[in-house]
Amino acid sequence: FNIGTYYKIIMYKVPKKEADQIATNLLKFQKVLAVAKSRDLNESDTVSIISDMLAEIFGYDKYLDITSEFAIRGTYCDLAIKINGKVEYLIECKSIGTQLKEQHIKQAVDYGANQGINWVILTNGITWRLYKLKFEQPISFDLVYELDLSTLPPRSDETKELLYILHKTALDKGYRQMHFEKTQLINPYTVAQLLFSENVVNAIKKEIRKLS
């Protein structure tokens, strides 16, 4: 996903306090993640870093909002974000050296489906993927966005806006749902349908006739 393309789509207002928090701590964790990757940390140690990132970059209270004790059908997901008794995100974590694959999200999707939780994050600390579940038969999911935190320029407005979507203070503003709806409008299938719609085809024919 090209950050420049997304910047033209989102345009969310990021409060200065949160913008500074994101920029300062992203820079800090880019260095932490680089060292962690060079040492090929295991999953448990990667989860610890991710928990710190959720607190320092995204504004969640490490002791009140972030839990690793969220049980579903007798087992536990890696992390969950729970605000005022409501689970906002399930987070499936992999070791920092693991290349994320779609199969990795299946367990978290199953967790979400069982509990009616819409939003799931899959991450190895560096790559972050946000998914939204669709409660259909069978259960399916959409990739809302994917970011490589190691390559994002911390001080850019684009970076701050994209990361703010996952911030605690953005929950009540509905930014994640807004972003999901906007990205749905420009997905390849929607664009293809528009390009082959009768109005667009007729307009193209008209322009071709002018050229000929």
Side-chain angles (χ1 to χ4, degrees):
F1 288 73
N2 182 276
I3 192 168
T5 301
Y6 268 105
Y7 182 58
K8 297 174 185 177
I9 301 168
I10 52 179
M11 301 298 288
Y12 303 125
K13 182 177 181 181
V14 184
K16 185 179 185 307
K17 177 182 176 182
E18 284 79 357
D20 291 342
Q21 177 186 38
I22 290 170
T24 300
N25 290 299
L26 174 59
L27 181 61
K28 168 187 171 180
F29 277 100
Q30 284 178 333
K31 297 174 183 177
V32 171
L33 292 169
V35 172
K37 188 172 183 180
S38 70
R39 296 181 181 177
D40 195 22
L41 292 189
N42 60 32
E43 184 172 306
S44 177
D45 291 336
T46 303
V47 170
S48 295
I49 294 174
I50 292 168
S51 181
D52 288 342
M53 294 172 73
L54 290 168
E56 296 185 40
I57 297 177
F58 301 108
Y60 296 98
D61 189 300
K62 189 173 181 179
Y63 304 104
L64 300 179
D65 302 332
I66 305 170
T67 178
S68 58
E69 296 296 320
F70 187 72
I72 301 175
R73 291 192 173 181
T75 187
Y76 293 92
C77 64
D78 291 318
L79 292 171
I81 299 293
K82 194 173 184 180
I83 309 293
N84 297 324
K86 178 185 177 184
V87 177
E88 297 288 351
Y89 293 105
L90 292 178
I91 305 174
E92 181 72 11
C93 303
K94 297 299 175 185
S95 65
I96 196 163
T98 299
Q99 184 176 356
L100 301 183
K101 299 179 181 179
E102 190 169 290
Q103 67 198 49
H104 292 146
I105 198 64
K106 186 178 184 303
Q107 185 175 20
V109 167
D110 290 343
Y111 288 159
N114 289 330
Q115 295 293 311
I117 299 166
N118 292 87
W119 300 94
V120 174
I121 294 171
L122 172 65
T123 181
N124 59 7
I126 295 175
T127 301
W128 290 65
R129 294 179 182 175
L130 175 63
Y131 295 87
K132 185 177 183 186
L133 273 60
K134 294 190 290 188
F135 294 98
E136 306 170 336
Q137 291 296 332
I139 295 292
S140 60
F141 52 88
D142 288 311
L143 176 63
V144 179
Y145 75 13
E146 178 178 359
L147 298 174
D148 182 338
L149 267 61
S150 67
T151 63
L152 296 181
R155 297 292 176 185
S156 77
D157 291 338
E158 299 99 312
T159 295
K160 295 170 187 175
E161 291 182 7
L162 283 168
L163 293 184
Y164 187 63
I165 293 170
L166 296 180
H167 199 279
K168 181 178 180 179
T169 62
L171 289 173
D172 291 336
K173 299 176 182 179
Y175 282 180
R176 60 184 177 182
Q177 179 63 27
M178 289 167 57
H179 190 83
F180 169 71
E181 292 172 0
K182 289 178 181 179
T183 53
Q184 288 295 293
L185 290 175
I186 62 158
N187 72 53
Y189 305 104
T190 303
V191 173
Q193 287 181 329
L194 288 173
L195 289 175
F196 288 98
S197 66
E198 184 177 356
N199 289 339
V200 173
V201 170
N202 288 339
I204 292 173
K205 287 179 179 178
K206 182 179 179 181
E207 293 302 315
I208 290 174
R209 284 195 293 270
K210 288 181 182 179
L211 291 173
S212 63

